[in-house]
Amino acid sequence: MLKAAGVGVGDEVVVPAFGNPEVAQAVSLTGAVPVFADIDPLSYCLDAAAVEAAVTTRTVAVVAVHRFGRSADIATLHQVGQRHGLLVLEQGESEAPYREVGVRRERAAYLNTKLKGVRTPIGCDGHTFQQYVVRVPGNGRPDRDAFARAIKAKGVECSVPVKTPVHRIPEFRRDICLPETERAADETLALPIGGDMSRRELHRLVSACNALGGLLQPAF
C-alpha cells in the first residue's frame, strides 16, 4: 500500500513502536523513514495527538495498527491526516469467528469482575479480545516477569505481548522518549481466554493472579 501510494526515499511515515517491527520494516523497504509516535494507554494504538506532534514537512503517511482486538481512533487520525495532507493506512488483525468473539467477551467480563492481582482492561466497548491484556505495574520488567513466572508455576499460561518496543531494537533504535509505549511494554501481560477453556481453568487463573494480589485500581 505504501509503494502504491508513491511513498519513497526522503519521506517519513508515522508508525507505532508498541508492537512487532514489521510495519517499520515495510516503511524502510520503500526507502522512507519510520517515525515512531506514542500510544494511547487505553487502546494500545497510536495516539492522535502524539502523531500530530511527530509530523514534519517530510511526513507523508501514518500507519495505524489495531491492537489486541481494539481499534485505533481512525476518525481522529483521519482528521490529523486531512490537516497535514497525509495518507492514513490501517493494519488490522485476523478476525475471530463471531461465536468465538462472543465467548471471549463473556470470559473477559468474568475476569474483569474477579481479578484483583492485576489491572484489568477498561473501556471495552467494541473490544473483540483477540488477546486479554492486563497490566502488572511495578518498577519495571522484573515485577511483571516475576508475576508471569509465578502464575505459570500454578499452571496458567500467559505471554508478554511486546517484549521490546521497536524504537529500542538495534535496527530502528531512536533516542526518543515514548512514555506510554515503554510503560506498556514493561507492564502488559496477555492472559488466556480463547480456545476450549473450562470454567475450572478460569477459576484457576483468577486464584493464581489474586494470590499475588493487591493491585486495586482498574486498569489501562
Side-chain angles (χ1 to χ4, degrees):
M1 286 189 292
L2 291 166
K3 287 182 177 179
V7 175
V9 177
D11 295 331
E12 294 179 350
V13 178
V14 181
V15 300
F18 187 71
N20 59 46
E22 292 175 359
V23 174
Q25 289 167 345
V27 172
S28 294
L29 286 173
T30 70
V33 175
V35 173
F36 300 107
D38 212 353
I39 58 169
D40 173 82
L42 179 66
S43 69
Y44 300 107
C45 304
L46 278 176
D47 177 75
V51 168
E52 190 149 31
V55 171
T56 72
T57 56
R58 296 199 298 167
T59 308
V60 298
V62 178
V63 180
V65 181
H66 305 303
R67 185 75 63 200
F68 306 144
R70 290 188 191 266
S71 295
D73 186 356
I74 293 299
T76 305
L77 288 171
H78 274 298
Q79 292 173 4
V80 173
Q82 290 171 358
R83 282 195 291 273
H84 298 278
L86 309 178
L87 177 69
V88 178
L89 300 175
E90 302 176 52
Q91 185 189 55
E93 299 174 297
S94 58
E95 292 293 328
Y98 181 78
R99 183 180 178 279
E100 174 69 11
V101 170
V103 171
R104 287 172 178 267
R105 283 175 170 160
E106 287 178 8
R107 292 170 180 169
Y110 173 79
L111 293 178
N112 284 350
T113 62
K114 297 296 183 181
L115 286 175
K116 297 177 182 176
V118 294
R119 292 181 178 176
T120 56
I122 60 173
C124 296
D125 290 350
H127 201 324
T128 60
F129 292 100
Q130 302 289 68
Q131 294 190 70
Y132 182 81
V133 176
V134 299
R135 290 197 184 225
V136 187
N139 297 316
R141 290 183 178 162
D143 304 84
R144 187 268 318 278
D145 292 350
F147 187 98
R149 286 193 296 271
I151 65 172
K152 283 181 177 179
K154 294 176 180 286
V156 175
E157 289 301 317
C158 61
S159 62
V160 175
V162 177
K163 293 183 178 179
T164 305
V166 182
H167 71 300
R168 295 298 184 217
I169 66 176
E171 183 181 358
F172 295 106
R173 181 169 289 277
R174 304 282 193 275
D175 186 18
I176 56 174
C177 180
L178 302 176
E180 295 298 345
T181 294
E182 291 164 12
R183 189 175 295 114
D186 283 347
E187 295 179 353
T188 50
L189 189 66
L191 300 177
I193 60 168
D196 298 321
M197 283 186 76
S198 65
R199 178 67 73 167
R200 182 176 181 179
E201 288 171 317
L202 280 174
H203 289 166
R204 181 196 300 162
L205 189 162
V206 170
S207 296
C209 290
N210 290 0
L212 301 170
L215 302 175
L216 301 178
Q217 303 176 49
F220 290 125

